[in-house]
Amino acid sequence: MVAHSTIDETIEGAPARYWHALDDGRIQCDLCPRFCRLHDGQRGLCFVRARRGARMMLTTYGRSSGFCIDPIEKKPLNHFLPGTPVLSFGTAGCNLTCKFCQNWDISKARAFDRLQDLATPEQIAQSAVESGSRSVAFTYNDPVIFLEYAVDTAKACRARGIRTVAVTAGYVCAAPRAEFFAQMDAANIDLKGFTEAFYHRLCSAALAPVLETLEYLKHETDVWLEITTLLIPGENDSPAEIEALSAWVMEHLGPDVPLHFTAFHPDWKMLDTPPTRAGSLIEAREIARAAGLRYVYTGNIRDEDTQSTYCHGCGARVIGRDGYDITGWRLTAYGRCRDCGARCAGVFEGSAGSWGGRRRPVVPGGLRL
Ligand code: SF4
């Protein structure tokens, strides 16, 4: 591993891992299933991994589009240290091309005009400690494309007792996937739809590698896993598709992986598609629960009934939520229902935090371009 601890090094970028030279003189990136093949000076589709001479570089190492302390429920993670603050940041670029992107100002950034904040991994970890954050989240844009920066930051966090969270589409090859998630304590995987046609047409990507990542996380790691599906009217919200998605989760991941159905708002290249009705989210939740999933939530709307957590043993509301506020708590310190003793799946330590819905910007390194 290359250690990066100075601002000069972070401004220059860092050597990238996961690539090899081809016989025709190009270099192939092996980080994600796009396998970009680059001549000198070219960038990959994600824009942040680039060929310089005979090697690949991560051009955004140490640079961020901003740091903010968020509620952990905003990632969304409902079963991972509920109510606690998480220091969140992203960089620029993305390895998917979703026409419905809800963060396009960051993910589509090209001139790096958004990358104003400079921070080393050590500075980020220290900022998390000083701000009272329980975890650091790699989010806003997909962290697999800035793997080297995320991994170094995660190691610095763990050395200080700070947990780590990845919010990602899970579109990554097997070897980098293992390195990346070995440093993560929790992940929310964006399962964008449940057909290859959807992934191909709207994201220029494929579903199968994402399903592989989900199975890998559940069966081969200790990473706490939740899933989010943004329901887009007329694109991925048919009852048949939601039934198929839910049945797959039940069969391949089991009943305890939380599933979030969140509302789309018109954005990026899908400005003519209407926003998701609250009723659609609630219906999707019913379908998933009927398939046997225990923890299914609506998101991007406000509805305490469908955003609270219920005991799978007795049906008691064990975690009440109103927006990002925890309104009820009936779990023991180790996550058991106070009424019947059934265990609620997740990572619980003591009682809930009280961070609520606050968002507080911070500048970990104190340096801005
Ligand atoms: S990580 Fe970026 S450069 Fe590498 S294959 Fe994926 S899109 Fe291409």
Side-chain angles (χ1 to χ4, degrees):
M1 186 189 75
V2 179
H4 294 273
S5 56
T6 72
I7 289 300
D8 283 347
E9 284 173 312
T10 60
I11 291 173
E12 291 299 313
R17 297 190 278 277
Y18 303 108
W19 56 271
H20 70 280
L22 299 170
D23 291 341
D24 65 6
R26 292 180 297 171
I27 279 178
Q28 175 173 308
C29 176
D30 298 318
L31 180 64
C32 94
R34 293 196 179 281
F35 301 116
C36 295
R37 297 176 168 197
L38 307 176
H39 294 287
D40 192 14
Q42 288 186 319
R43 294 176 179 272
L45 177 135
C46 60
F47 201 70
V48 300
R49 303 180 83 81
R51 177 173 174 181
R52 290 188 184 153
R55 63 181 182 172
M56 290 284 290
M57 298 288 287
L58 170 60
T59 60
T60 53
Y61 192 107
R63 300 171 64 183
S64 166
S65 55
F67 293 83
C68 195
I69 303 173
D70 285 335
I72 190 74
E73 287 77 10
K74 196 169 194 297
K75 299 305 100 187
L77 287 174
N78 278 359
H79 294 234
F80 184 78
L81 304 175
T84 62
V86 50
L87 177 60
S88 306
F89 77 101
T91 59
C94 191
N95 59 337
L96 273 72
T97 62
C98 305
K99 291 184 167 62
F100 49 86
C101 185
Q102 311 276 289
N103 271 333
W104 63 269
D105 52 335
I106 294 171
S107 64
K108 310 302 177 197
R110 286 291 183 264
F112 293 177
D113 49 346
R114 305 265 322 193
L115 295 179
Q116 297 178 332
D117 289 354
L118 306 179
T120 64
E122 292 76 17
Q123 288 170 327
I124 296 169
Q126 190 58 31
S127 180
V129 171
E130 290 169 1
S131 65
S133 299
R134 294 291 301 279
S135 55
V136 164
F138 310 95
T139 179
Y140 305 143
N141 69 323
D142 203 302
V144 303
I145 63 168
F146 61 91
L147 173 143
E148 294 81 2
Y149 187 31
V151 164
D152 288 355
T153 302
K155 289 178 177 175
C157 288
R158 284 181 157 182
R160 290 165 173 80
I162 298 291
R163 309 288 181 87
T164 53
V165 172
V167 181
T168 167
Y171 199 59
V172 60
C173 293
R177 176 168 62 207
E179 181 190 359
F180 180 82
F181 286 112
Q183 301 304 327
M184 299 298 154
D185 296 302
N188 190 301
I189 302 294
D190 204 2
L191 179 56
K192 294 172 184 289
F194 202 65
T195 64
E196 287 291 354
F198 178 95
Y199 266 83
H200 181 73
R201 189 164 54 83
L202 294 179
C203 313
S204 67
L207 169 62
V210 181
L211 300 184
E212 282 175 22
T213 295
L214 288 168
E215 292 203 83
Y216 171 80
L217 285 171
K218 179 63 184 175
H219 301 299
E220 297 183 48
T221 74
D222 294 326
V223 177
W224 173 252
L225 170 63
E226 302 194 19
I227 300 171
T228 296
T229 298
L230 182 79
L231 286 190
I232 306 173
E235 301 290 355
N236 64 357
D237 64 342
S238 72
E241 186 163 338
I242 292 164
E243 276 175 30
L245 185 156
S246 303
W248 185 90
V249 173
M250 185 68 189
E251 180 182 349
H252 293 262
L253 308 178
D256 287 331
V257 175
L259 176 58
H260 302 253
F261 290 114
T262 58
F264 161 89
H265 63 268
D267 217 332
W268 189 229
K269 295 182 177 175
M270 290 183 67
L271 295 173
D272 295 331
T273 302
T276 312
R277 290 184 304 107
S280 297
L281 301 175
I282 292 168
E283 288 160 22
R285 177 175 179 271
E286 290 305 314
I287 290 171
R289 282 165 59 86
L293 301 184
R294 291 171 171 167
Y295 310 111
V296 191
Y297 302 101
T298 62
N300 294 349
I301 61 168
R302 195 152 181 178
D303 181 32
E304 194 167 358
D305 283 347
T306 58
Q307 291 167 353
S308 295
T309 301
Y310 300 89
C311 175
H312 68 86
C314 68
R317 184 182 286 197
V318 288
I319 308 174
R321 293 185 191 83
D322 184 15
Y324 299 127
D325 290 320
I326 303 291
T327 56
W329 186 262
R330 292 197 58 72
L331 291 175
T332 68
Y334 299 102
R336 291 192 176 278
C337 173
R338 288 196 182 278
D339 291 337
C340 74
R343 188 167 192 308
C344 182
V347 177
F348 304 104
E349 293 178 358
S351 59
S354 57
W355 180 254
R358 283 175 285 169
R359 291 198 81 219
R360 180 150 61 87
V362 290
V363 185
L367 275 177
R368 282 214 149 128
L369 284 179

